[in-house]
Amino acid sequence: MKLVLLGTGTSHGIPVIGCGCKVCRSSDSRNNRFRASALLLADIPGNCSDFNNPTGSVAGGFKEIVKWNKLVAQQKGTSLAEPMLVEECRNLSDKDKEMLCKTNILVDAGPEFRIQAIKSGIKKLDAVLLTHSHADHLHGLDDLRIFSSSKPPKRMIPEEDIETKTLEIYANSNTLADITSRFDYAFKPTQEGGGKPKINILPTENFSLENPLVVNNIQIVPVPILHGHLQDNGYAFIEELDGKKHCILYLTDCSSIPESSYSLIHKIAKVCQSGSISHLVIDALREKSHTTHFNFEQALEAAEIIKPVNTWFTHICHVHSHQEIQSYIDENLQKYPGLWEIKKTGGTIQPAYDFMEISC
């Protein structure tokens, strides 16, 4: 599986509106940060058929691409016959084919989600996970309508050929309550206009390590964290390959991790290969302390307890450049013997940047 970090910035993003600081003016692309969001991609065993030589009934990943091409044709107001669909599928880029036949799970949909989706080539979503309901993580929700349909458009494609999809969104109960308040039009009869997202919201309190949320072949375990006084969700993604489990842990917008969540994380680590989390993506706003976010020191302290193979800072503000953050880590790492040992044996402790990909 692979996690694409669509955004690694704090609520202002970088550059900040009206700011002339050296980070906001930086020519280093790693200092340009969208609001925090991520996309998990994972193979679905047996789902990617031979795209160039489909035989019999269209199946697997090829079938997903045919569905997508029909929807594209529908939006254009045209009709594609099956032979043309086959040719269209053959002409898709390798990146499009990969995206369409994999599991695609989005974490948070902030104000720049449309731009992030276009830049990363998102063609479908299987599920959406929300960490919490602050604007920088939620206010791109309306753009999810392109991945769902509240009513099949009245165009050339016969209605029976259109798969009307409901997109499932998972979050804790507080976040779901905010969604129904801020995006109430999505849940009640209104005029169609430009359309609205057809979404099904589901509470994450129903899931645990013993009863994980399963999306295709990915197990997802919510990890409760605190964002100031706000109850927030981190997420552990677990994939099993060849009898071995691998895990990516995503903890953004975090000022405190309860002991019960540390205990849960250690249980997750025990079921994974070598007894370790492969990647930890963790909130690390700046060097100075903050009331609702980990600073660099607190992020390193949390990583020292979790002991992942690789640690990546996210939700970063414009006070420090990418290179300055790396220098801080390098200068202070010996204070954390567990992380220091991990680094010496090939592990990574670094600031993340937009569209960086981490895999396991």
Side-chain angles (χ1 to χ4, degrees), residues 71-98:
L71 291 175
V72 170
Q74 162 200 309
Q75 291 166 4
K76 292 179 179 177
T78 61
S79 180
L80 290 178
E82 192 72 16
M84 188 180 293
L85 281 172
V86 170
E87 188 60 33
E88 289 286 319
C89 292
R90 286 175 177 158
N91 291 334
L92 284 173
S93 68
D94 289 341
K95 183 176 180 180
D96 283 346
K97 291 175 183 177
E98 178 190 43

mmCIF file of all heavy atoms in Angstrom, residues 71-98:
data_model
loop_
_atom_site.group_PDB
_atom_site.id
_atom_site.type_symbol
_atom_site.label_atom_id
_atom_site.label_comp_id
_atom_site.label_asym_id
_atom_site.label_seq_id
_atom_site.Cartn_x
_atom_site.Cartn_y
_atom_site.Cartn_z
ATOM 1 N N LEU A 71 -18.983 6.980 -17.254
ATOM 2 C CA LEU A 71 -19.354 8.182 -16.516
ATOM 3 C C LEU A 71 -18.785 9.435 -17.179
ATOM 4 O O LEU A 71 -19.442 10.471 -17.234
ATOM 5 C CB LEU A 71 -18.874 8.074 -15.071
ATOM 6 C CG LEU A 71 -19.603 7.032 -14.213
ATOM 7 C CD1 LEU A 71 -18.948 6.928 -12.848
ATOM 8 C CD2 LEU A 71 -21.072 7.389 -14.059
ATOM 9 N N VAL A 72 -17.551 9.339 -17.694
ATOM 10 C CA VAL A 72 -16.965 10.476 -18.417
ATOM 11 C C VAL A 72 -17.803 10.802 -19.645
ATOM 12 O O VAL A 72 -18.119 11.961 -19.936
ATOM 13 C CB VAL A 72 -15.507 10.168 -18.819
ATOM 14 C CG1 VAL A 72 -14.986 11.230 -19.772
ATOM 15 C CG2 VAL A 72 -14.624 10.099 -17.586
ATOM 16 N N ALA A 73 -18.191 9.749 -20.395
ATOM 17 C CA ALA A 73 -19.021 9.957 -21.580
ATOM 18 C C ALA A 73 -20.354 10.583 -21.196
ATOM 19 O O ALA A 73 -20.857 11.480 -21.875
ATOM 20 C CB ALA A 73 -19.244 8.626 -22.290
ATOM 21 N N GLN A 74 -20.904 10.117 -20.099
ATOM 22 C CA GLN A 74 -22.186 10.639 -19.615
ATOM 23 C C GLN A 74 -22.083 12.130 -19.310
ATOM 24 O O GLN A 74 -22.954 12.922 -19.666
ATOM 25 C CB GLN A 74 -22.558 9.850 -18.372
ATOM 26 C CG GLN A 74 -23.600 10.485 -17.471
ATOM 27 C CD GLN A 74 -23.498 9.866 -16.091
ATOM 28 O OE1 GLN A 74 -23.502 8.662 -15.962
ATOM 29 N NE2 GLN A 74 -23.407 10.699 -15.084
ATOM 30 N N GLN A 75 -20.989 12.526 -18.662
ATOM 31 C CA GLN A 75 -20.805 13.937 -18.327
ATOM 32 C C GLN A 75 -20.640 14.795 -19.579
ATOM 33 O O GLN A 75 -21.031 15.960 -19.604
ATOM 34 C CB GLN A 75 -19.590 14.089 -17.412
ATOM 35 C CG GLN A 75 -19.810 13.516 -16.016
ATOM 36 C CD GLN A 75 -18.511 13.380 -15.255
ATOM 37 O OE1 GLN A 75 -17.465 13.776 -15.735
ATOM 38 N NE2 GLN A 75 -18.580 12.797 -14.064
ATOM 39 N N LYS A 76 -20.066 14.205 -20.630
ATOM 40 C CA LYS A 76 -19.880 14.932 -21.882
ATOM 41 C C LYS A 76 -21.142 14.929 -22.740
ATOM 42 O O LYS A 76 -21.189 15.626 -23.760
ATOM 43 C CB LYS A 76 -18.727 14.308 -22.677
ATOM 44 C CG LYS A 76 -17.363 14.490 -22.042
ATOM 45 C CD LYS A 76 -16.284 13.810 -22.884
ATOM 46 C CE LYS A 76 -14.904 13.999 -22.281
ATOM 47 N NZ LYS A 76 -13.864 13.289 -23.066
ATOM 48 N N GLY A 77 -22.133 14.137 -22.341
ATOM 49 C CA GLY A 77 -23.365 14.060 -23.118
ATOM 50 C C GLY A 77 -23.222 13.216 -24.366
ATOM 51 O O GLY A 77 -23.909 13.432 -25.365
ATOM 52 N N THR A 78 -22.316 12.235 -24.333
ATOM 53 C CA THR A 78 -22.117 11.352 -25.477
ATOM 54 C C THR A 78 -22.336 9.914 -25.039
ATOM 55 O O THR A 78 -22.509 9.618 -23.863
ATOM 56 C CB THR A 78 -20.695 11.500 -26.047
ATOM 57 O OG1 THR A 78 -19.757 11.140 -25.034
ATOM 58 C CG2 THR A 78 -20.436 12.919 -26.504
ATOM 59 N N SER A 79 -22.326 9.023 -26.019
ATOM 60 C CA SER A 79 -22.494 7.605 -25.717
ATOM 61 C C SER A 79 -21.318 6.837 -26.305
ATOM 62 O O SER A 79 -20.910 7.075 -27.437
ATOM 63 C CB SER A 79 -23.803 7.086 -26.320
ATOM 64 O OG SER A 79 -23.963 5.719 -26.037
ATOM 65 N N LEU A 80 -20.741 5.940 -25.532
ATOM 66 C CA LEU A 80 -19.628 5.132 -25.986
ATOM 67 C C LEU A 80 -20.058 3.675 -26.121
ATOM 68 O O LEU A 80 -20.536 3.080 -25.164
ATOM 69 C CB LEU A 80 -18.454 5.222 -25.003
ATOM 70 C CG LEU A 80 -17.715 6.561 -24.938
ATOM 71 C CD1 LEU A 80 -16.618 6.481 -23.894
ATOM 72 C CD2 LEU A 80 -17.135 6.932 -26.278
ATOM 73 N N ALA A 81 -19.890 3.126 -27.316
ATOM 74 C CA ALA A 81 -20.151 1.709 -27.504
ATOM 75 C C ALA A 81 -19.031 0.901 -26.869
ATOM 76 O O ALA A 81 -17.921 1.395 -26.688
ATOM 77 C CB ALA A 81 -20.257 1.390 -28.993
ATOM 78 N N GLU A 82 -19.297 -0.381 -26.571
ATOM 79 C CA GLU A 82 -18.306 -1.209 -25.894
ATOM 80 C C GLU A 82 -16.963 -1.265 -26.621
ATOM 81 O O GLU A 82 -15.917 -1.127 -25.985
ATOM 82 C CB GLU A 82 -18.861 -2.624 -25.686
ATOM 83 C CG GLU A 82 -18.034 -3.480 -24.742
ATOM 84 C CD GLU A 82 -18.185 -3.036 -23.291
ATOM 85 O OE1 GLU A 82 -19.119 -2.284 -22.971
ATOM 86 O OE2 GLU A 82 -17.344 -3.441 -22.492
ATOM 87 N N PRO A 83 -16.899 -1.459 -27.939
ATOM 88 C CA PRO A 83 -15.590 -1.475 -28.603
ATOM 89 C C PRO A 83 -14.810 -0.190 -28.396
ATOM 90 O O PRO A 83 -13.591 -0.207 -28.215
ATOM 91 C CB PRO A 83 -15.946 -1.680 -30.077
ATOM 92 C CG PRO A 83 -17.264 -2.367 -30.054
ATOM 93 C CD PRO A 83 -17.985 -1.758 -28.895
ATOM 94 N N MET A 84 -15.529 0.945 -28.407
ATOM 95 C CA MET A 84 -14.841 2.214 -28.196
ATOM 96 C C MET A 84 -14.352 2.305 -26.752
ATOM 97 O O MET A 84 -13.264 2.816 -26.480
ATOM 98 C CB MET A 84 -15.763 3.391 -28.519
ATOM 99 C CG MET A 84 -15.034 4.750 -28.508
ATOM 100 S SD MET A 84 -16.123 6.125 -28.902
ATOM 101 C CE MET A 84 -16.481 5.757 -30.622
ATOM 102 N N LEU A 85 -15.137 1.770 -25.817
ATOM 103 C CA LEU A 85 -14.717 1.764 -24.424
ATOM 104 C C LEU A 85 -13.423 0.982 -24.256
ATOM 105 O O LEU A 85 -12.517 1.393 -23.539
ATOM 106 C CB LEU A 85 -15.805 1.133 -23.543
ATOM 107 C CG LEU A 85 -16.986 2.035 -23.192
ATOM 108 C CD1 LEU A 85 -18.065 1.217 -22.499
ATOM 109 C CD2 LEU A 85 -16.542 3.166 -22.288
ATOM 110 N N VAL A 86 -13.339 -0.151 -24.927
ATOM 111 C CA VAL A 86 -12.134 -0.966 -24.850
ATOM 112 C C VAL A 86 -10.935 -0.172 -25.340
ATOM 113 O O VAL A 86 -9.873 -0.156 -24.723
ATOM 114 C CB VAL A 86 -12.298 -2.272 -25.651
ATOM 115 C CG1 VAL A 86 -10.970 -3.002 -25.763
ATOM 116 C CG2 VAL A 86 -13.349 -3.165 -25.003
ATOM 117 N N GLU A 87 -11.103 0.512 -26.465
ATOM 118 C CA GLU A 87 -9.998 1.295 -27.024
ATOM 119 C C GLU A 87 -9.641 2.458 -26.097
ATOM 120 O O GLU A 87 -8.460 2.760 -25.893
ATOM 121 C CB GLU A 87 -10.375 1.817 -28.413
ATOM 122 C CG GLU A 87 -9.222 2.474 -29.157
ATOM 123 C CD GLU A 87 -8.051 1.520 -29.374
ATOM 124 O OE1 GLU A 87 -8.284 0.303 -29.539
ATOM 125 O OE2 GLU A 87 -6.906 1.997 -29.364
ATOM 126 N N GLU A 88 -10.677 3.115 -25.527
ATOM 127 C CA GLU A 88 -10.419 4.212 -24.600
ATOM 128 C C GLU A 88 -9.618 3.714 -23.403
ATOM 129 O O GLU A 88 -8.712 4.383 -22.922
ATOM 130 C CB GLU A 88 -11.746 4.812 -24.124
ATOM 131 C CG GLU A 88 -12.498 5.599 -25.167
ATOM 132 C CD GLU A 88 -11.841 6.939 -25.433
ATOM 133 O OE1 GLU A 88 -11.399 7.579 -24.465
ATOM 134 O OE2 GLU A 88 -11.766 7.335 -26.601
ATOM 135 N N CYS A 89 -9.960 2.510 -22.920
ATOM 136 C CA CYS A 89 -9.258 1.964 -21.761
ATOM 137 C C CYS A 89 -7.808 1.666 -22.088
ATOM 138 O O CYS A 89 -6.906 1.893 -21.278
ATOM 139 C CB CYS A 89 -9.957 0.697 -21.280
ATOM 140 S SG CYS A 89 -11.593 1.012 -20.582
ATOM 141 N N ARG A 90 -7.566 1.159 -23.290
ATOM 142 C CA ARG A 90 -6.195 0.864 -23.688
ATOM 143 C C ARG A 90 -5.349 2.133 -23.753
ATOM 144 O O ARG A 90 -4.137 2.103 -23.523
ATOM 145 C CB ARG A 90 -6.194 0.172 -25.050
ATOM 146 C CG ARG A 90 -6.655 -1.274 -24.996
ATOM 147 C CD ARG A 90 -6.749 -1.856 -26.382
ATOM 148 N NE ARG A 90 -7.116 -3.261 -26.327
ATOM 149 C CZ ARG A 90 -7.675 -3.924 -27.334
ATOM 150 N NH1 ARG A 90 -7.922 -3.303 -28.473
ATOM 151 N NH2 ARG A 90 -7.971 -5.201 -27.216
ATOM 152 N N ASN A 91 -5.993 3.255 -24.059
ATOM 153 C CA ASN A 91 -5.260 4.506 -24.232
ATOM 154 C C ASN A 91 -5.031 5.254 -22.918
ATOM 155 O O ASN A 91 -4.353 6.288 -22.919
ATOM 156 C CB ASN A 91 -6.008 5.419 -25.203
ATOM 157 C CG ASN A 91 -5.982 4.869 -26.629
ATOM 158 O OD1 ASN A 91 -5.069 4.121 -27.001
ATOM 159 N ND2 ASN A 91 -6.981 5.229 -27.414
ATOM 160 N N LEU A 92 -5.586 4.768 -21.823
ATOM 161 C CA LEU A 92 -5.369 5.431 -20.546
ATOM 162 C C LEU A 92 -3.911 5.328 -20.133
ATOM 163 O O LEU A 92 -3.220 4.354 -20.450
ATOM 164 C CB LEU A 92 -6.244 4.789 -19.456
ATOM 165 C CG LEU A 92 -7.737 5.135 -19.465
ATOM 166 C CD1 LEU A 92 -8.452 4.299 -18.440
ATOM 167 C CD2 LEU A 92 -7.952 6.608 -19.186
ATOM 168 N N SER A 93 -3.450 6.330 -19.412
ATOM 169 C CA SER A 93 -2.073 6.298 -18.919
ATOM 170 C C SER A 93 -1.938 5.222 -17.840
ATOM 171 O O SER A 93 -2.926 4.790 -17.236
ATOM 172 C CB SER A 93 -1.698 7.659 -18.322
ATOM 173 O OG SER A 93 -2.435 7.886 -17.127
ATOM 174 N N ASP A 94 -0.713 4.806 -17.611
ATOM 175 C CA ASP A 94 -0.467 3.810 -16.567
ATOM 176 C C ASP A 94 -0.922 4.329 -15.210
ATOM 177 O O ASP A 94 -1.436 3.567 -14.382
ATOM 178 C CB ASP A 94 1.024 3.459 -16.521
ATOM 179 C CG ASP A 94 1.468 2.648 -17.731
ATOM 180 O OD1 ASP A 94 0.582 2.066 -18.403
ATOM 181 O OD2 ASP A 94 2.677 2.598 -18.007
ATOM 182 N N LYS A 95 -0.753 5.639 -14.963
ATOM 183 C CA LYS A 95 -1.166 6.216 -13.688
ATOM 184 C C LYS A 95 -2.676 6.120 -13.522
ATOM 185 O O LYS A 95 -3.181 5.784 -12.453
ATOM 186 C CB LYS A 95 -0.722 7.675 -13.606
ATOM 187 C CG LYS A 95 -1.048 8.334 -12.265
ATOM 188 C CD LYS A 95 -0.495 9.745 -12.188
ATOM 189 C CE LYS A 95 -0.825 10.377 -10.844
ATOM 190 N NZ LYS A 95 -0.292 11.761 -10.736
ATOM 191 N N ASP A 96 -3.428 6.387 -14.608
ATOM 192 C CA ASP A 96 -4.888 6.287 -14.539
ATOM 193 C C ASP A 96 -5.318 4.850 -14.294
ATOM 194 O O ASP A 96 -6.232 4.578 -13.510
ATOM 195 C CB ASP A 96 -5.526 6.806 -15.823
ATOM 196 C CG ASP A 96 -5.536 8.325 -15.895
ATOM 197 O OD1 ASP A 96 -5.304 8.956 -14.841
ATOM 198 O OD2 ASP A 96 -5.762 8.874 -16.981
ATOM 199 N N LYS A 97 -4.679 3.916 -14.985
ATOM 200 C CA LYS A 97 -5.015 2.503 -14.791
ATOM 201 C C LYS A 97 -4.757 2.082 -13.346
ATOM 202 O O LYS A 97 -5.567 1.384 -12.739
ATOM 203 C CB LYS A 97 -4.199 1.632 -15.747
ATOM 204 C CG LYS A 97 -4.588 1.779 -17.211
ATOM 205 C CD LYS A 97 -3.642 0.976 -18.101
ATOM 206 C CE LYS A 97 -3.977 1.167 -19.574
ATOM 207 N NZ LYS A 97 -3.027 0.452 -20.456
ATOM 208 N N GLU A 98 -3.605 2.519 -12.824
ATOM 209 C CA GLU A 98 -3.265 2.174 -11.448
ATOM 210 C C GLU A 98 -4.306 2.716 -10.484
ATOM 211 O O GLU A 98 -4.775 2.014 -9.584
ATOM 212 C CB GLU A 98 -1.892 2.738 -11.099
ATOM 213 C CG GLU A 98 -1.480 2.462 -9.660
ATOM 214 C CD GLU A 98 -0.242 3.220 -9.233
ATOM 215 O OE1 GLU A 98 -0.136 4.416 -9.551
ATOM 216 O OE2 GLU A 98 0.610 2.613 -8.586
#
